[in-house]
């Protein structure tokens, strides 16, 4: 089983059971991601160098408008797709085996966690990996230290408040916050400042 096949299966939600060939490939992907993220995080890089390293991490080019402030962590990297004018602030962790898609114009605050893997509940299945993709729409703002869990879709224009734990889909043009996150308010196009 090769990396492309495992990534495709994971993006389709197929589990990777502990000890399986897919699980072994996940470990290989993690080692490659650790090597590249260590390079990204270990010293200063120009914005152009950051984009090049991030492109190597994801295995696909990023737009010249993409910006990231290291450190950044991922245990896969190859199932991350980002749009144009995306900014990722420092200390974010993306567990992307299940697939993470980030739309154009997104702002991602310090220390955000996007986690696409869950584990089996019975103790004998705790090391089994159950992926579910995260989709972040366009012009979304994710506040510092927010966590988005497997299978969540965040609608266009939404705001995730700092520290929120998002367990279910977020409608477009809403502010959500809390643990677990709930809708706080709707966003109107006329609003110039939103207090979350």
């Amino acid at each position: 089983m090769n990396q492309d096949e495992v990534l495709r299966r994971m993006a389709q939600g197929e589990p990777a059971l502990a000890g399986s060939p897919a699980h072994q490939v996940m470990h290989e992907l993690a080692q490659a991601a650790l090597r590249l993220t260590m390079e990204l995080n270990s010293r200063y890089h120009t914005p152009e160098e950051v984009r090049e390293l991030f492109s190597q991490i994801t295995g696909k080019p990023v737009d010249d408008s993409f910006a990231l402030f290291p450190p950044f962590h991922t245990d896969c990297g190859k199932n991350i797709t980002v749009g144009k004018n995306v900014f990722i602030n420092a200390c974010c962790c993306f567990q992307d085996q299940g697939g993470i898609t980030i739309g154009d114009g997104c702002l991602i605050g310090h220390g955000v966690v996007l986690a696409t893997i869950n584990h089996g509940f019975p103790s004998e299945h705790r090391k089994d990996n159950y992926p579910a993709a995260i989709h972040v729409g366009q012009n979304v703002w994710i506040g510092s230290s927010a966590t988005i869990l497997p299978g969540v879709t965040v609608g266009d224009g939404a705001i995730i408040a700092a520290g929120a734990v998002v367990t279910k889909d977020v409608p477009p043009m809403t502010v959500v916050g809390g643990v677990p996150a709930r809708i706080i308010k709707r966003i109107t196009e006329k609003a110039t400042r939103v207090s979350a």
Side-chain angles (χ1 to χ4, degrees), residues 29-45 49-50 52-58 68-78 80 92-96:
L29 286 163
Q31 292 306 305
L34 288 170
R35 180 180 55 78
L36 288 167
T37 55
M38 180 62 73
E39 169 64 23
L40 174 67
N41 298 332
S42 65
R43 63 183 177 86
Y44 172 76
H45 294 282
E49 291 170 335
V50 168
E52 174 56 31
L53 284 165
F54 193 82
S55 292
Q56 290 178 40
I57 290 167
T58 63
L68 178 144
F69 286 175
F72 172 80
H73 301 280
T74 180
D75 53 3
C76 180
K78 300 302 185 205
I80 299 171
C92 290
C93 298
F94 290 7
Q95 182 192 49
D96 62 287

Side-chain angles (χ1 to χ4, degrees), residues 44-191:
Y44 172 76
H45 294 282
T46 66
E48 295 78 17
E49 291 170 335
V50 168
R51 282 192 291 275
E52 174 56 31
L53 284 165
F54 193 82
S55 292
Q56 290 178 40
I57 290 167
T58 63
K60 50 188 91 72
V62 293
D63 191 77
D64 287 346
S65 61
F66 172 79
L68 178 144
F69 286 175
F72 172 80
H73 301 280
T74 180
D75 53 3
C76 180
K78 300 302 185 205
N79 263 351
I80 299 171
T81 302
V82 296
K84 296 178 181 179
N85 296 306
V86 170
F87 173 66
I88 300 173
N89 217 325
C91 302
C92 290
C93 298
F94 290 7
Q95 182 192 49
D96 62 287
Q97 290 91 336
I100 294 173
T101 303
I102 299 170
D104 294 347
C106 287
L107 299 174
I108 300 179
H110 287 89
V112 167
V113 174
L114 303 181
T116 67
I117 294 289
N118 209 337
H119 296 280
F121 284 10
S123 59
E124 64 270 20
H125 293 288
R126 288 277 161 81
K127 293 183 180 179
D128 295 346
N129 293 275
Y130 297 91
I134 292 173
H135 299 278
V136 179
Q138 295 185 11
N139 301 309
V140 170
W141 174 18
I142 304 175
S144 295
S145 299
T147 298
I148 299 179
L149 296 181
V152 168
T153 294
V154 180
D156 292 349
I159 297 173
I160 311 297
V165 176
V166 183
T167 62
K168 59 184 178 181
D169 290 354
V170 176
M173 301 301 289
T174 58
V175 178
V176 301
V179 179
R182 60 177 177 77
I183 295 174
I184 296 171
K185 65 168 68 174
R186 306 274 177 201
I187 301 169
T188 65
E189 288 297 329
K190 295 179 184 179

